[in-house]
Structure formats: structure tokens, C-alpha cells
């Protein structure tokens, strides 16, 4: 796979961030999501790929663009690749001007992504220092002990990100009792999942139940960074079981590892929309804006943080 694709994907997430960044704090999450989706879709047409969206904005009858199955890219003769996108991960965060909204995309060889239905996934995520130390079936306390040992630190030194939801109350109580520091987030669990693999982020672990599509995007990033993750689908009803079965999933209790959620030469990019644990948000100035992105490839394990200065006289779309 062309190694420059990673840089091309940065252009895609930068475009989405620049478009929805105008909606930060405006209280209109749908308009923000539409702006990001349209910009990402438009920019993808300039990328030399033969892509199929496998994780996107919904089914064809639900989403006007970036729907599951949509063909994207401008090189139909190129090797087929699968695309996982979340043009605006954290629509609520963006609409309220809170932290951690990102625009994100990942690319894998055909068949490389777990086709996760739009349902919940139980997740545990850790950076490279904790690889092999996590066990989704072990208790939060046991996982803290293992990761503290792997990182040669105390449990009290660890910071765990958890979505602030009632379903996590018991887990949070146990984490606190074990002595860990906790960073509760209102939304957006892809960014902190990636931050577990960035030493200077101060984030060591992410645990809890969030979106399955977001789990696959996080797995794509962790694959590029040598991190570790386990995920298990959480079925709320039989309709979700039937949906999963129709997507080829028949072991409903399966624990997925990173390499089962994102296989092969994965490429990942994300741009900050609002500042968070991983990336700075879009900053506008007279006639332009500054974006902050992360770009990486599983093959080289290279992780690039890119600060781009954009001048709108030369980019009339913004
Ligand atoms: C999760 C999380 C996402 O939405 O899907 C969450 O993974 C939805 O959780 O990052 P609830 O149904 O409990 O609200 C996000 O936070 C944003 O899409």
C-alpha cells in the first residue's frame, strides 16, 4: 500500500475538522456532523484509492453519504481497500464546545476491518507498555495490578479514561477503591483510546462500554502504535443479534483482539476538532486556520503529529 496514503488521509480529516470546526459550541450537532461528512466525502474523491466504506455514517437508507458500502476514491484500478470513518467523533462535544471531538478515518486492505454493527462494545485499551497485560474477563482491579506491574509503577500512578455513564458506576467505584486516577469523559472514546499509546498524554488505560464502530477505529489506531485492546460486543436485544449475524458475526461472546478488529497494513489519521487528550482543536485566524493531526501506519509504526497552517484564499471552500 502506498506509504503516502497516510499523508493523504490527513488531508481528509483536516478538511472534515476545518468544516465542522465552524460549528463548535453552536448547539447544532447535526449541522456539525453534516459539515464534517460532506467535507470528508468531497476530499476522499481526490485520493487515489479504490475504497469501500465498511464503517461509516449508517446504512445506505440512513445516511446521504459515507454510508456502509459506498465506493470512495478516484482510482478504481487501484487495489481495493476498506474504509472506516467517523467524520465527527463526538458530535455532542462539538455542539457544546467541550473537549475531545475529532475527525477520523482508517484504511485497511479489503476485509481488514471487523464489520462492527452500530451497537455497544465492551472495551479495554492500553498503550504498548501494557501490551499483553490486559484481560477483558479480569476485574478492573486485576487489570490495574497487571498494567501497573507492566509499567513498573503504582496503581495510584495510573490514569484511566471512562465514559461518564450510569452503566460504569460500579466499575468506577472499583477503580477508585483500587487507587487509580480517573478521567471521566462525556463523549468521544476514540481519542482517549489512542492517547493510551502516547506517553506524554498522561492517559494509561481506557475501559468501559462504548460504540462498536468507534472500537474498530480505536483498534486501527492502536494497531499502528503497537498498543493493545480487547473488545466484546454487547447485545441489547435480539434485533442486534440478528443484525450482527447478517454481518457475518456468529460468536456473540467472542473477545476481539486488535489484530482481529484491524488486520494488515492499516493506515490511520485523525484531526482535532476541539482540544482533547490527544490533539489540539481547530484554531481560526484572519484568513485561515491551524489544524493538529495524528497520522500513522501499522507497517512502519511511524506516528506523525502534523500541525498544518491553512490559508483560505488558497482554499476557497473554507
Ligand atoms: C459511545 C462512544 C462514542 O457516543 O458510542 C457514545 O463510543 C454513545 O454512548 O465515542 P451512549 O449511547 O451511552 O450515549 C460517543 O461518545 C460519541 O459518538
Amino acid at each position: 500500500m502506498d506509504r503516502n496514503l497516510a499523508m493523504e488521509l490527513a488531508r481528509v480529516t483536516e478538511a472534515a475538522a476545518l468544516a465542522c470546526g465552524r460549528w463548535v459550541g453552536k448547539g447544532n450537532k447535526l449541522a456539525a456532523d453534516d459539515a464534517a461528512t460532506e467535507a470528508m466525502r468531497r476530499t476522499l474523491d481526490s485520493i487515489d484509492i479504490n475504497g469501500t466504506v465498511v464503517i461509516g455514517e449508517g446504512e445506505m437508507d440512513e445516511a446521504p453519504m459515507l454510508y456502509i458500502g459506498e465506493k470512495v476514491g478516484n482510482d478504481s484500478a487501484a487495489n481495493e481497500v476498506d474504509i472506516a470513518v467517523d467524520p465527527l467523533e463526538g458530535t455532542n462535544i462539538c455542539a457544546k464546545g467541550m473537549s475531545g471531538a475529532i475527525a477520523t478515518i482508517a484504511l485497511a486492505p479489503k476485509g481488514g476491518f471487523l464489520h462492527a454493527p452500530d451497537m455497544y462494545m465492551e472495551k479495554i485499551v492500553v498503550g504498548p507498555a501494557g501490551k499483553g497485560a490486559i484481560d477483558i474477563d479480569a476485574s478492573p482491579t486485576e487489570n490495574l495490578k497487571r498494567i501497573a506491574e507492566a509499567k513498573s509503577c503504582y496503581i495510584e500512578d495510573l490514569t484511566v479514561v471512562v465514559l461518564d455513564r450510569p452503566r460504569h458506576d460500579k466499575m468506577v467505584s472499583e477503580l477508585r477503591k483500587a487507587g487509580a486516577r480517573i478521567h471521566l469523559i462525556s463523549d468521544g472514546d476514540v481519542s482517549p483510546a489512542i492517547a493510551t499509546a502516547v506517553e506524554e498524554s498522561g492517559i494509561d488505560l481506557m475501559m468501559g462500554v462504548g460504540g462498536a464502530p468507534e472500537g474498530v477505529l480505536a483498534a486501527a489506531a492502536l494497531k499502528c502504535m503497537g498498543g493493545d485492546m480487547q473488545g466484546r460486543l454487547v447485545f441489547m436485544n435480539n434485533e442486534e443479534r440478528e443484525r450482527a449475524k447478517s454481518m457475518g458475526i456468529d460468536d456473540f461472546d467472542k473477545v476481539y483482539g486488535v489484530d482481529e478488529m484491524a488486520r494488515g497494513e492499516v493506515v490511520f489519521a485523525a484531526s482535532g476538532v476541539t482540544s482533547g487528550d490527544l490533539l489540539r482543536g481547530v484554531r481560526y485566524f484572519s484568513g485561515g486556520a491551524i489544524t493538529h493531526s495524528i497520522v500513522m501506519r501499522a507497517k512502519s509504526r511511524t506516528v506523525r503529529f502534523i500541525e498544518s497552517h491553512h490559508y483560505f484564499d488558497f482554499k476557497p471552500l473554507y
Side-chain angles (χ1 to χ4, degrees):
M1 197 175 294
D2 177 2
R3 65 181 185 172
N4 293 317
L5 262 181
M7 307 304 280
E8 294 278 13
L9 292 190
R11 286 191 177 88
V12 173
T13 56
E14 285 176 347
L18 285 168
C20 67
R22 291 294 190 193
W23 289 96
V24 168
K26 300 288 178 68
N28 189 339
K29 67 180 187 178
L30 295 180
D33 197 45
D34 288 349
T37 302
E38 191 281 327
M40 181 172 276
R41 180 66 187 82
R42 180 180 71 242
T43 313
L44 273 168
D45 280 340
S46 66
I47 309 290
D48 295 334
I49 56 171
N50 175 11
T52 304
V53 174
V54 296
I55 287 177
E57 290 295 283
E59 295 297 334
M60 188 185 295
D61 57 358
E62 294 168 337
M65 56 185 86
L66 294 182
Y67 51 81
I68 294 169
E70 185 175 7
K71 299 295 286 179
V72 294
N74 71 2
D75 185 351
S76 56
N79 293 333
E80 282 199 84
V81 292
D82 280 351
I83 306 282
V85 294
D86 200 341
L88 177 51
E89 215 290 285
T91 53
N92 287 325
I93 297 171
C94 180
K96 294 174 181 174
M98 296 169 74
S99 66
I102 60 172
T104 179
I105 188 170
L107 181 153
K110 194 73 185 159
F113 287 128
L114 170 69
H115 289 196
D118 190 10
M119 55 183 289
Y120 286 132
M121 174 185 275
E122 182 186 0
K123 312 168 197 178
I124 181 167
V125 188
V126 71
K131 191 172 179 67
I134 55 174
D135 178 355
I136 201 167
D137 288 317
S139 71
T141 305
E142 181 58 28
N143 275 296
L144 287 173
K145 285 176 182 171
R146 294 182 186 186
I147 290 157
E149 186 179 346
K151 299 189 87 168
S152 303
C153 69
Y154 295 106
I155 286 179
E156 288 74 9
D157 300 326
L158 296 175
T159 298
V160 188
V161 171
V162 181
L163 266 175
D164 188 9
R165 298 290 190 278
R167 60 179 177 264
H168 294 147
D169 286 351
K170 183 170 176 284
M171 179 178 73
V172 167
S173 297
E174 183 175 340
L175 290 168
R176 284 172 174 159
K177 189 175 174 200
R181 294 148 38 92
I182 296 182
H183 177 29
L184 289 174
I185 58 172
S186 61
D187 268 307
D189 68 356
V190 175
S191 172
I194 301 168
T196 65
V198 178
E199 200 56 44
E200 55 271 20
S201 73
I203 304 294
D204 298 288
L205 185 64
M206 192 189 82
M207 298 174 80
V209 175
E214 289 86 351
V216 173
L217 276 162
L222 273 295
K223 170 119 177 153
C224 295
M225 305 170 93
D228 203 357
M229 177 177 177
Q230 292 179 349
R232 176 168 37 213
L233 295 175
V234 177
F235 296 92
M236 304 302 280
N237 51 52
N238 281 331
E239 183 186 344
E240 289 188 346
R241 289 184 184 84
E242 288 306 314
R243 173 99 180 82
K245 201 180 288 182
S246 71
M247 295 173 78
I249 294 170
D250 50 21
D251 179 355
F252 294 155
D253 295 318
K254 181 174 176 55
V255 175
Y256 294 95
V258 169
D259 294 328
E260 293 169 293
M261 290 188 268
R263 291 181 290 274
E265 270 192 54
V266 171
V267 183
F268 179 91
S271 296
V273 175
T274 60
S275 296
D277 292 314
L278 179 70
L279 297 166
R280 293 187 298 279
V282 180
R283 287 162 286 162
Y284 294 92
F285 54 82
S286 173
I290 301 170
T291 56
H292 188 219
S293 305
I294 185 171
V295 177
M296 44 200 170
R297 299 168 63 225
K299 184 174 182 180
S300 65
R301 200 58 75 78
T302 306
V303 178
R304 290 181 172 87
F305 285 91
I306 302 171
E307 178 178 288
S308 300
H309 293 235
H310 306 266
Y311 297 92
F312 296 150
D313 287 348
F314 300 87
K315 283 188 182 181
L317 285 169
Y318 302 100

